[in-house]
Structures are given as structure tokens and as C-alpha cells.
């Protein structure tokens, strides 16, 4: 079964600093990967997704992620964090076959705190 | 285009009661998925409906059920509520394929006392 691990439960950065959120996945075939963000009291918003092709994916709000098959990773990055980026971030993989076709499996999430 | 809407936003119930949550997908979207979010278990897939048929189901007991109407609106029902059912229930809609982006609603916060 597929799984997603986000090793960092909570990360604190200063405004203007760079950010990297880690995500490791386990999936038998080529994974389709996503990063979502959730602000308090809100639903999830898609930041970016990777299906195939260029392993460096650009998303909204200045985020990017790099797919590394050899490391089973899909880390999210941002060169300069803004206070409004404080939220919880989820990495996810979608099941592309079998009885759970289309099901998203999420990591446990990483809470980002931004200091002024 | 209007986003995914969920009603009600907040619910308080007592153990043993049942509850129905509603989700209206983005216009034109035919797939609706439901997820349960709790601090301990994180985000877990409940089930997915496509064209009024349950296409996928997660590992939840039979007390959790759902349905989808011809206009793609979906409801989920939880019978015989337990304290552990307290959670944020999220609905997501997409066009029809797993490669299509799932757009999430704001969720319904269910508290079971």
C-alpha cells in the first residue's frame, strides 16, 4: 500500500528565510504527487502537483517542489517565506489503480510557523 | 466559479445520534470524495462517489455511508455516533479522473459529546 511520510511535524522559520519541507513516499509505480496547504479553519488548497516530465515543478504562491525518484522524495521549497505562509502543509500521493483508484493518501502534515 | 460548499459548517451531537453532512461540488465536477481529519489519525479517505455510484471506499465501519445525487451533490451519514467520530469532515470534488485536481471545501466540524 502507498504511504507518505513528512518527517517534520513543526518547522519555524523567520520571515524572508528560505524554506524546505520534506516528503517521502512509498508507491509501487510512478507516483502522482501533490502538495496541499491548509490555513486554520479552512479546507485544503492545492499548491502544486507532479505527474511526469520535468522533475522540478512550479506552483502557486512562489512554491516549487522537486521529485527525486532515487530518494523517493518530493520536497517543497520556497526561497523567501512570507508571514502569510504560516499554515499546515500536506504531501499526498494518489492511487492510480486497484480498488482504491483515485484515493489520496496524505502525510501527517507539517505545521509552519513564521517569525517576523 | 463557485467553490466546493459544505453544510453545516459546525455540528454538535451526542453519542448514539446520527448526522448527515452535505457537499455541493464545483459545477461540472462529477466526482466527490470525503475525508476525515483528526489530530491523531490525520487525513483519512472515507469514500468517493462518481455519477451517483460509490467508486471507492476507505477503511471505515459501516456506520459511515454516503450517496450522490444526479446533480452531483453528495451527502454522508454517520449513524450511532461515537466520541471518536469528532473530526473535521472534508469534501473534495474533481472532474472525473484521478489526475484531475481535487478541490476541497472548508469542511464540517463535528463534535460528539
Amino acid at each position: 500500500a502507498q504511504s507518505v511520510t513528512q518527517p517534520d511535524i513543526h518547522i519555524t522559520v523567520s520571515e524572508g528565510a528560505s524554506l524546505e519541507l520534506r516528503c517521502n513516499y512509498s508507491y509501487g509505480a510512478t507516483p502522482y504527487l501533490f502538495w496541499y496547504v491548509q490555513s486554520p479553519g479552512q479546507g485544503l488548497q492545492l499548491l502544486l502537483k507532479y505527474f511526469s516530465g520535468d522533475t522540478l515543478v512550479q506552483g502557486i504562491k512562489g512554491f516549487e517542489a522537486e521529485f527525486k525518484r532515487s530518494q523517493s522524495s518530493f520536497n517543497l521549497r520556497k526561497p523567501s517565506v512570507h508571514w502569510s505562509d504560516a499554515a499546515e502543509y500536506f504531501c499526498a500521493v494518489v492511487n492510480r489503480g486497484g480498488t482504491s483508484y483515485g484515493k489520496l493518501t496524505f502525510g501527517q502534515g507539517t505545521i509552519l510557523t513564521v517569525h517576523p | 466559479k463557485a467553490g466546493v460548499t459544505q453544510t453545516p459548517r459546525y455540528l454538535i451531537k451526542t453519542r448514539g445520534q446520527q448526522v448527515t453532512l452535505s457537499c455541493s461540488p464545483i459545477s461540472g465536477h462529477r466526482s466527490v470524495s470525503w475525508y476525515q481529519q483528526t489530530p491523531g489519525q490525520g487525513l483519512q479517505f472515507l469514500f468517493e462517489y462518481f455519477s451517483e455510484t460509490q467508486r471507492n471506499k476507505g477503511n471505515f465501519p459501516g456506520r459511515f455511508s454516503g450517496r450522490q445525487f444526479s446533480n452531483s451533490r453528495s451527502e454522508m451519514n454517520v449513524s450511532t455516533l461515537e466520541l471518536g467520530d469528532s473530526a473535521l469532515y472534508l469534501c473534495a470534488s474533481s472532474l472525473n479522473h484521478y489526475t484531475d485536481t481535487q478541490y476541497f471545501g472548508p469542511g464540517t466540524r463535528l463534535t460528539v459529546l
Side-chain angles (χ1 to χ4, degrees), chain A residues 25-38:
Chain A
Y25 67 89
S26 173
Y27 190 74
T30 300
Y32 283 11
L33 296 158
F34 306 80
W35 273 100
Y36 282 88
V37 61
Q38 185 178 35

Side-chain angles (χ1 to χ4, degrees), chain A residues 72-85:
Chain A
S72 297
S73 69
F74 188 56
N75 294 348
L76 182 71
R77 300 193 295 246
K78 186 169 185 178
S80 178
V81 170
H82 188 262
W83 63 266
S84 60
D85 293 325

Side-chain angles (χ1 to χ4, degrees), chain A residues 15 17 28 46 49 54-55 61 68-69 81 87 95 97 101 103:
Chain A
E15 191 169 17
L46 180 71
K49 59 186 177 183
D54 193 347
T55 56
K61 303 185 180 186
K68 292 186 178 179
R69 185 187 301 275
V81 170
N95 193 319
Y101 171 97
K103 164 192 164 186

Side-chain angles (χ1 to χ4, degrees), chain B residues 43-62:
Chain B
L43 280 153
Q44 294 186 287
F45 173 77
L46 280 156
F47 31 64
E48 184 229 0
Y49 286 86
F50 179 79
S51 291
E52 301 179 65
T53 301
Q54 187 179 85
R55 190 161 64 173
N56 292 299
K57 189 177 189 306
N59 297 322
F60 278 80

